[in-house]
Amino acid sequence: MTAPITQDVLTIPRKLPEQAKTNIVGLTRDALRAALIAAGTPEKQAKMRLGQVWQWVYHWGVRDFALMTNLAKDYRALLAEHFVIELPEVVTRQISEDGTRKYLVRIAGGHEVEVVYIPETDRGTLCISSQVGCTLTCSFCHTGTQKLVRNLTAGEIVGQVMLARDDLDEWPVQGAPKEEVRLISNIVLMGMGEPLYNFENVRDAMKVVMDGEGIALGRRRITLSTSGVVPEIARTAIEIGCLLAVSFHATTDEVRDQLVPINKRWNIATLLEALKAYPGLSNSERITFEYVMLDGVNDTKEDAHRLVKLLEGIPAKVNLIPFNEWPGAPYKRSSGNRIHAFADIIYHAGYATPIRTPRGEDIMAACGQLKSATERARKSKAEIAAEAGLT
Ligand code: SAH
Ligand code: SF4
């Protein structure tokens, strides 16, 4: 018996609080322009107003219309009457011994997602979420056991980037020299959720984040990780233009069916076809193959050799992820020796093979450990009840 592709989830419709005002955060340029006009901005001024508001919100990080000093007072009042500039609320922030920061964030309807900031010597990566939970059931992933699932809005996705910039104090200061080093230099869509099951919102959010007049992170600084939603893969290149990572994790369909059940719908051969055809694929823009190292499951030398064969003809790099354990996980992490022996084989075949150092393990911030705290609490309550013989 293998796991079903999707779990028995509860998909919750987005319940927005009664709010007459539109949140600016997450609107594309076109949508914001239309909203400004609908609020009473004369059409012939719309382009200029859009540019001004955009810059205040995304370049300077301003949240209060009253501070938008190059706008006339009554125009600021008009904006305040129709719009808000709102981010998800940070419920808790934890800082790991290694400097990794994990934010538990509350979005409309009271749902929660996690956002992780990983500082390294040459870069700082923000790992953001695209869904509350995940409908897929990868057997090694903690997020996949969460039963509550909802897509994030574009605003909630952009909001994660903005709240991390708030916390890191990364907005430019007027009049101060431009900072050379960006604390958030990269974004990975590797938090909770399958981003290609929420394509439009992820795309719109990344458009806002990449926009040169605002947060201005280049498309090559963004990596989207998918478990292999084949029909949406080409769109990622065409409509977003970011880099792609694929949760590969196995070298035979038999094993991949177990680990990444979406493989039962789009198997390894089908997935590889789609990857070979990824628009814009080149040596400078390679696909990252993520490969979680599970003791005795997918970590043999034969696996490594098979992987090399499968990669043939695809500009690729392989990111080996030592399995991160979570309470009740059915797997163990491969030994260091195994991981290095595996890496050597891939490396000798000519592929970069970084081994991902687990970050923020002490605060459960490492890959695959994310799951909302409320959900964890609920589970432990159930466990306590079971232990006490109450169920
Ligand atoms: N849903 C998307 C993106 C989020 S997961 C996807 O699956 O690609 C980011 C990466 O962490 C994926 O490669 C995922 O397979 C991996 N991962 C999940 N659980 C893990 C765990 N417990 N230990 C190590 N990596 C894990
Ligand atoms: Fe979902 Fe990715 Fe976890 Fe699989 S690994 S359950 S696709 S979040």
Side-chain angles (χ1 to χ4, degrees), residues 5 7 130-131 133-146 190-195 197 225-229 247 249 259-262 368 370:
I5 298 170
Q7 57 172 335
S130 57
Q131 298 182 306
C134 185
T135 54
L136 298 168
T137 51
C138 303
S139 50
F140 53 89
C141 175
H142 203 203
T143 306
T145 64
Q146 183 164 330
M190 295 187 185
M192 297 166 75
E194 168 49 62
Y197 275 174
S225 174
T226 180
S227 57
V229 184
S247 295
H249 304 322
L259 299 180
V260 189
I262 202 175
L370 304 185

mmCIF file of all heavy atoms in Angstrom, residues 5 7 130-131 133-146 190-195 197 225-229 247 249 259-262 368 370, ligand 2:
data_model
loop_
_atom_site.group_PDB
_atom_site.id
_atom_site.type_symbol
_atom_site.label_atom_id
_atom_site.label_comp_id
_atom_site.label_asym_id
_atom_site.label_seq_id
_atom_site.Cartn_x
_atom_site.Cartn_y
_atom_site.Cartn_z
ATOM 1 N N ILE A 5 -2.380 10.182 -3.218
ATOM 2 C CA ILE A 5 -1.710 11.386 -3.723
ATOM 3 C C ILE A 5 -2.088 12.607 -2.901
ATOM 4 O O ILE A 5 -1.265 13.413 -2.523
ATOM 5 C CB ILE A 5 -2.095 11.628 -5.201
ATOM 6 C CG1 ILE A 5 -1.619 10.444 -6.039
ATOM 7 C CG2 ILE A 5 -1.468 12.919 -5.726
ATOM 8 C CD1 ILE A 5 -2.128 10.446 -7.459
ATOM 9 N N GLN A 7 -4.283 14.019 0.511
ATOM 10 C CA GLN A 7 -4.822 13.528 1.765
ATOM 11 C C GLN A 7 -6.265 13.975 1.915
ATOM 12 O O GLN A 7 -6.800 14.737 1.125
ATOM 13 C CB GLN A 7 -3.963 14.014 2.909
ATOM 14 C CG GLN A 7 -3.849 15.520 2.935
ATOM 15 C CD GLN A 7 -3.146 15.993 4.188
ATOM 16 O OE1 GLN A 7 -3.157 15.314 5.200
ATOM 17 N NE2 GLN A 7 -2.540 17.146 4.131
ATOM 18 N N SER A 130 3.427 29.111 0.392
ATOM 19 C CA SER A 130 2.426 29.422 -0.628
ATOM 20 C C SER A 130 1.032 28.932 -0.263
ATOM 21 O O SER A 130 0.040 29.365 -0.843
ATOM 22 C CB SER A 130 2.845 28.810 -1.970
ATOM 23 O OG SER A 130 3.033 27.412 -1.838
ATOM 24 N N GLN A 131 0.956 28.009 0.671
ATOM 25 C CA GLN A 131 -0.334 27.504 1.130
ATOM 26 C C GLN A 131 -0.275 27.293 2.648
ATOM 27 O O GLN A 131 0.798 27.099 3.206
ATOM 28 C CB GLN A 131 -0.649 26.137 0.495
ATOM 29 C CG GLN A 131 -0.773 26.143 -1.016
ATOM 30 C CD GLN A 131 -1.140 24.755 -1.562
ATOM 31 O OE1 GLN A 131 -0.472 23.771 -1.273
ATOM 32 N NE2 GLN A 131 -2.212 24.694 -2.345
ATOM 33 N N GLY A 133 -0.616 24.587 5.050
ATOM 34 C CA GLY A 133 -0.579 23.132 4.873
ATOM 35 C C GLY A 133 -0.294 22.775 3.433
ATOM 36 O O GLY A 133 0.242 23.579 2.667
ATOM 37 N N CYS A 134 -0.623 21.542 3.060
ATOM 38 C CA CYS A 134 -0.373 21.074 1.693
ATOM 39 C C CYS A 134 -1.322 19.914 1.437
ATOM 40 O O CYS A 134 -1.545 19.087 2.317
ATOM 41 C CB CYS A 134 1.081 20.612 1.553
ATOM 42 S SG CYS A 134 1.518 20.139 -0.133
ATOM 43 N N THR A 135 -1.895 19.874 0.236
ATOM 44 C CA THR A 135 -2.835 18.786 -0.051
ATOM 45 C C THR A 135 -2.106 17.491 -0.397
ATOM 46 O O THR A 135 -2.707 16.429 -0.427
ATOM 47 C CB THR A 135 -3.756 19.127 -1.244
ATOM 48 O OG1 THR A 135 -2.935 19.481 -2.352
ATOM 49 C CG2 THR A 135 -4.692 20.266 -0.919
ATOM 50 N N LEU A 136 -0.821 17.600 -0.694
ATOM 51 C CA LEU A 136 -0.070 16.401 -1.073
ATOM 52 C C LEU A 136 0.411 15.692 0.191
ATOM 53 O O LEU A 136 0.349 16.240 1.282
ATOM 54 C CB LEU A 136 1.074 16.788 -2.001
ATOM 55 C CG LEU A 136 0.545 17.417 -3.310
ATOM 56 C CD1 LEU A 136 1.663 18.059 -4.092
ATOM 57 C CD2 LEU A 136 -0.167 16.373 -4.153
ATOM 58 N N THR A 137 0.876 14.483 -0.002
ATOM 59 C CA THR A 137 1.154 13.660 1.180
ATOM 60 C C THR A 137 2.537 13.016 1.142
ATOM 61 O O THR A 137 2.666 11.827 1.409
ATOM 62 C CB THR A 137 0.128 12.511 1.273
ATOM 63 O OG1 THR A 137 0.116 11.867 -0.009
ATOM 64 C CG2 THR A 137 -1.249 12.989 1.606
ATOM 65 N N CYS A 138 3.542 13.798 0.773
ATOM 66 C CA CYS A 138 4.887 13.216 0.746
ATOM 67 C C CYS A 138 5.162 12.628 2.132
ATOM 68 O O CYS A 138 4.967 13.299 3.150
ATOM 69 C CB CYS A 138 5.908 14.280 0.373
ATOM 70 S SG CYS A 138 5.492 15.036 -1.207
ATOM 71 N N SER A 139 5.607 11.376 2.139
ATOM 72 C CA SER A 139 5.583 10.634 3.399
ATOM 73 C C SER A 139 6.661 11.080 4.384
ATOM 74 O O SER A 139 6.601 10.720 5.551
ATOM 75 C CB SER A 139 5.732 9.141 3.102
ATOM 76 O OG SER A 139 6.836 8.933 2.249
ATOM 77 N N PHE A 140 7.632 11.879 3.912
ATOM 78 C CA PHE A 140 8.727 12.315 4.789
ATOM 79 C C PHE A 140 8.538 13.753 5.241
ATOM 80 O O PHE A 140 9.392 14.340 5.896
ATOM 81 C CB PHE A 140 10.068 12.199 4.043
ATOM 82 C CG PHE A 140 10.004 12.914 2.719
ATOM 83 C CD1 PHE A 140 10.327 14.244 2.633
ATOM 84 C CD2 PHE A 140 9.558 12.247 1.578
ATOM 85 C CE1 PHE A 140 10.206 14.918 1.430
ATOM 86 C CE2 PHE A 140 9.444 12.916 0.372
ATOM 87 C CZ PHE A 140 9.773 14.267 0.302
ATOM 88 N N CYS A 141 7.411 14.369 4.858
ATOM 89 C CA CYS A 141 7.240 15.812 5.076
ATOM 90 C C CYS A 141 6.199 16.091 6.149
ATOM 91 O O CYS A 141 5.083 15.590 6.095
ATOM 92 C CB CYS A 141 6.836 16.484 3.772
ATOM 93 S SG CYS A 141 6.461 18.236 3.958
ATOM 94 N N HIS A 142 6.594 16.903 7.092
ATOM 95 C CA HIS A 142 5.711 17.238 8.205
ATOM 96 C C HIS A 142 4.512 18.053 7.741
ATOM 97 O O HIS A 142 3.394 17.839 8.185
ATOM 98 C CB HIS A 142 6.518 18.040 9.237
ATOM 99 C CG HIS A 142 5.954 17.987 10.619
ATOM 100 N ND1 HIS A 142 6.226 18.948 11.552
ATOM 101 C CD2 HIS A 142 5.147 17.088 11.218
ATOM 102 C CE1 HIS A 142 5.599 18.637 12.683
ATOM 103 N NE2 HIS A 142 4.951 17.524 12.509
ATOM 104 N N THR A 143 4.763 19.008 6.822
ATOM 105 C CA THR A 143 3.667 19.858 6.332
ATOM 106 C C THR A 143 2.561 19.006 5.729
ATOM 107 O O THR A 143 1.372 19.311 5.865
ATOM 108 C CB THR A 143 4.189 20.853 5.276
ATOM 109 O OG1 THR A 143 5.284 21.584 5.839
ATOM 110 C CG2 THR A 143 3.120 21.824 4.852
ATOM 111 N N GLY A 144 2.960 17.919 5.054
ATOM 112 C CA GLY A 144 1.985 17.069 4.382
ATOM 113 C C GLY A 144 1.034 16.337 5.323
ATOM 114 O O GLY A 144 0.071 15.728 4.875
ATOM 115 N N THR A 145 1.297 16.416 6.620
ATOM 116 C CA THR A 145 0.387 15.751 7.564
ATOM 117 C C THR A 145 -0.655 16.726 8.108
ATOM 118 O O THR A 145 -1.518 16.354 8.886
ATOM 119 C CB THR A 145 1.158 15.133 8.750
ATOM 120 O OG1 THR A 145 1.784 16.198 9.484
ATOM 121 C CG2 THR A 145 2.209 14.151 8.296
ATOM 122 N N GLN A 146 -0.545 17.978 7.703
ATOM 123 C CA GLN A 146 -1.497 18.976 8.201
ATOM 124 C C GLN A 146 -2.804 18.891 7.424
ATOM 125 O O GLN A 146 -2.805 18.945 6.198
ATOM 126 C CB GLN A 146 -0.880 20.368 8.073
ATOM 127 C CG GLN A 146 -1.753 21.465 8.626
ATOM 128 C CD GLN A 146 -0.962 22.760 8.828
ATOM 129 O OE1 GLN A 146 0.239 22.731 9.089
ATOM 130 N NE2 GLN A 146 -1.630 23.886 8.711
ATOM 131 N N MET A 190 9.874 27.452 -0.722
ATOM 132 C CA MET A 190 10.128 26.108 -0.207
ATOM 133 C C MET A 190 9.549 25.943 1.188
ATOM 134 O O MET A 190 9.942 25.047 1.929
ATOM 135 C CB MET A 190 11.637 25.819 -0.159
ATOM 136 C CG MET A 190 12.307 25.781 -1.520
ATOM 137 S SD MET A 190 14.012 25.255 -1.393
ATOM 138 C CE MET A 190 14.548 25.454 -3.105
ATOM 139 N N GLY A 191 8.643 26.824 1.542
ATOM 140 C CA GLY A 191 8.017 26.706 2.853
ATOM 141 C C GLY A 191 6.843 25.745 2.770
ATOM 142 O O GLY A 191 6.916 24.712 2.116
ATOM 143 N N MET A 192 5.753 26.113 3.407
ATOM 144 C CA MET A 192 4.587 25.237 3.382
ATOM 145 C C MET A 192 3.866 25.354 2.049
ATOM 146 O O MET A 192 3.715 26.435 1.496
ATOM 147 C CB MET A 192 3.628 25.624 4.511
ATOM 148 C CG MET A 192 4.237 25.443 5.891
ATOM 149 S SD MET A 192 3.276 26.259 7.175
ATOM 150 C CE MET A 192 1.915 25.138 7.315
ATOM 151 N N GLY A 193 3.410 24.208 1.551
ATOM 152 C CA GLY A 193 2.539 24.220 0.380
ATOM 153 C C GLY A 193 3.218 23.879 -0.922
ATOM 154 O O GLY A 193 4.448 23.902 -1.030
ATOM 155 N N GLU A 194 2.395 23.568 -1.908
ATOM 156 C CA GLU A 194 2.873 23.273 -3.252
ATOM 157 C C GLU A 194 2.591 24.524 -4.098
ATOM 158 O O GLU A 194 1.443 24.782 -4.467
ATOM 159 C CB GLU A 194 2.136 22.044 -3.805
ATOM 160 C CG GLU A 194 2.310 21.787 -5.294
ATOM 161 C CD GLU A 194 3.761 21.827 -5.764
ATOM 162 O OE1 GLU A 194 4.569 21.013 -5.305
ATOM 163 O OE2 GLU A 194 4.081 22.702 -6.609
ATOM 164 N N PRO A 195 3.632 25.306 -4.420
ATOM 165 C CA PRO A 195 3.390 26.585 -5.098
ATOM 166 C C PRO A 195 2.682 26.445 -6.439
ATOM 167 O O PRO A 195 1.914 27.319 -6.815
ATOM 168 C CB PRO A 195 4.795 27.179 -5.278
ATOM 169 C CG PRO A 195 5.763 26.155 -4.831
ATOM 170 C CD PRO A 195 5.046 25.104 -4.055
ATOM 171 N N TYR A 197 0.287 24.552 -7.123
ATOM 172 C CA TYR A 197 -1.155 24.404 -6.912
ATOM 173 C C TYR A 197 -1.800 25.742 -6.538
ATOM 174 O O TYR A 197 -2.987 25.799 -6.249
ATOM 175 C CB TYR A 197 -1.441 23.366 -5.824
ATOM 176 C CG TYR A 197 -1.485 21.931 -6.326
ATOM 177 C CD1 TYR A 197 -1.617 20.868 -5.441
ATOM 178 C CD2 TYR A 197 -1.411 21.653 -7.693
ATOM 179 C CE1 TYR A 197 -1.657 19.558 -5.907
ATOM 180 C CE2 TYR A 197 -1.453 20.354 -8.157
ATOM 181 C CZ TYR A 197 -1.583 19.310 -7.266
ATOM 182 O OH TYR A 197 -1.637 18.019 -7.723
ATOM 183 N N SER A 225 10.147 25.759 -5.712
ATOM 184 C CA SER A 225 10.303 24.304 -5.589
ATOM 185 C C SER A 225 8.955 23.619 -5.765
ATOM 186 O O SER A 225 7.978 23.962 -5.107
ATOM 187 C CB SER A 225 10.882 23.967 -4.216
ATOM 188 O OG SER A 225 10.908 22.564 -4.037
ATOM 189 N N THR A 226 8.931 22.653 -6.654
ATOM 190 C CA THR A 226 7.694 21.897 -6.864
ATOM 191 C C THR A 226 7.944 20.409 -6.663
ATOM 192 O O THR A 226 9.034 19.906 -6.912
ATOM 193 C CB THR A 226 7.102 22.125 -8.273
ATOM 194 O OG1 THR A 226 5.906 21.352 -8.395
ATOM 195 C CG2 THR A 226 8.073 21.702 -9.375
ATOM 196 N N SER A 227 6.889 19.727 -6.246
ATOM 197 C CA SER A 227 6.978 18.280 -6.088
ATOM 198 C C SER A 227 6.825 17.600 -7.452
ATOM 199 O O SER A 227 7.018 16.400 -7.564
ATOM 200 C CB SER A 227 5.884 17.805 -5.141
ATOM 201 O OG SER A 227 4.622 18.212 -5.647
ATOM 202 N N GLY A 228 6.474 18.391 -8.483
ATOM 203 C CA GLY A 228 6.365 17.818 -9.827
ATOM 204 C C GLY A 228 4.990 17.948 -10.446
ATOM 205 O O GLY A 228 4.463 16.982 -11.000
ATOM 206 N N VAL A 229 4.414 19.138 -10.364
ATOM 207 C CA VAL A 229 3.112 19.390 -10.987
ATOM 208 C C VAL A 229 3.375 19.697 -12.465
ATOM 209 O O VAL A 229 3.492 20.842 -12.886
ATOM 210 C CB VAL A 229 2.372 20.559 -10.289
ATOM 211 C CG1 VAL A 229 0.983 20.757 -10.884
ATOM 212 C CG2 VAL A 229 2.286 20.308 -8.788
ATOM 213 N N SER A 247 11.487 18.525 -6.316
ATOM 214 C CA SER A 247 11.647 17.545 -5.242
ATOM 215 C C SER A 247 11.679 16.162 -5.871
ATOM 216 O O SER A 247 10.645 15.533 -6.060
ATOM 217 C CB SER A 247 10.472 17.668 -4.264
ATOM 218 O OG SER A 247 10.535 18.916 -3.640
ATOM 219 N N HIS A 249 13.985 13.180 -5.182
ATOM 220 C CA HIS A 249 13.979 12.262 -4.033
ATOM 221 C C HIS A 249 14.061 10.763 -4.300
ATOM 222 O O HIS A 249 14.161 9.991 -3.337
ATOM 223 C CB HIS A 249 12.766 12.508 -3.131
ATOM 224 C CG HIS A 249 12.632 13.913 -2.633
ATOM 225 N ND1 HIS A 249 13.704 14.681 -2.263
ATOM 226 C CD2 HIS A 249 11.540 14.709 -2.444
ATOM 227 C CE1 HIS A 249 13.280 15.876 -1.873
ATOM 228 N NE2 HIS A 249 11.971 15.911 -1.978
ATOM 229 N N LEU A 259 7.370 8.008 -1.793
ATOM 230 C CA LEU A 259 7.864 9.216 -1.129
ATOM 231 C C LEU A 259 7.096 10.452 -1.565
ATOM 232 O O LEU A 259 6.747 11.303 -0.751
ATOM 233 C CB LEU A 259 9.364 9.410 -1.420
ATOM 234 C CG LEU A 259 10.293 8.304 -0.937
ATOM 235 C CD1 LEU A 259 11.736 8.636 -1.306
ATOM 236 C CD2 LEU A 259 10.173 8.123 0.575
ATOM 237 N N VAL A 260 6.887 10.574 -2.864
ATOM 238 C CA VAL A 260 6.238 11.761 -3.438
ATOM 239 C C VAL A 260 5.043 11.254 -4.242
ATOM 240 O O VAL A 260 5.144 11.025 -5.441
ATOM 241 C CB VAL A 260 7.226 12.527 -4.364
ATOM 242 C CG1 VAL A 260 6.662 13.870 -4.797
ATOM 243 C CG2 VAL A 260 8.579 12.713 -3.693
ATOM 244 N N PRO A 261 3.915 11.041 -3.603
ATOM 245 C CA PRO A 261 2.802 10.335 -4.257
ATOM 246 C C PRO A 261 2.279 11.000 -5.528
ATOM 247 O O PRO A 261 1.620 10.331 -6.330
ATOM 248 C CB PRO A 261 1.709 10.296 -3.178
ATOM 249 C CG PRO A 261 2.396 10.570 -1.897
ATOM 250 C CD PRO A 261 3.630 11.346 -2.195
ATOM 251 N N ILE A 262 2.591 12.260 -5.757
ATOM 252 C CA ILE A 262 2.153 12.897 -7.003
ATOM 253 C C ILE A 262 2.819 12.182 -8.190
ATOM 254 O O ILE A 262 2.369 12.305 -9.331
ATOM 255 C CB ILE A 262 2.478 14.411 -6.983
ATOM 256 C CG1 ILE A 262 1.582 15.161 -7.970
ATOM 257 C CG2 ILE A 262 3.935 14.695 -7.272
ATOM 258 C CD1 ILE A 262 1.732 16.664 -7.934
ATOM 259 N N GLY A 368 10.962 20.808 5.690
ATOM 260 C CA GLY A 368 10.034 19.722 5.965
ATOM 261 C C GLY A 368 9.551 19.665 7.396
ATOM 262 O O GLY A 368 8.749 18.818 7.753
ATOM 263 N N LEU A 370 8.118 22.328 8.882
ATOM 264 C CA LEU A 370 7.152 23.391 9.118
ATOM 265 C C LEU A 370 5.731 22.855 9.252
ATOM 266 O O LEU A 370 5.292 22.014 8.499
ATOM 267 C CB LEU A 370 7.202 24.420 7.988
ATOM 268 C CG LEU A 370 8.559 25.045 7.729
ATOM 269 C CD1 LEU A 370 8.437 26.131 6.673
ATOM 270 C CD2 LEU A 370 9.161 25.605 8.997
HETATM 271 FE FE1 SF4 B 2 3.613 19.246 0.126
HETATM 272 FE FE2 SF4 B 2 6.155 19.691 -0.649
HETATM 273 FE FE3 SF4 B 2 5.610 18.585 1.758
HETATM 274 FE FE4 SF4 B 2 5.217 17.191 -0.482
HETATM 275 S S1 SF4 B 2 7.204 17.942 0.306
HETATM 276 S S2 SF4 B 2 3.799 17.325 1.281
HETATM 277 S S3 SF4 B 2 4.506 18.784 -1.879
HETATM 278 S S4 SF4 B 2 5.073 20.644 1.108
#
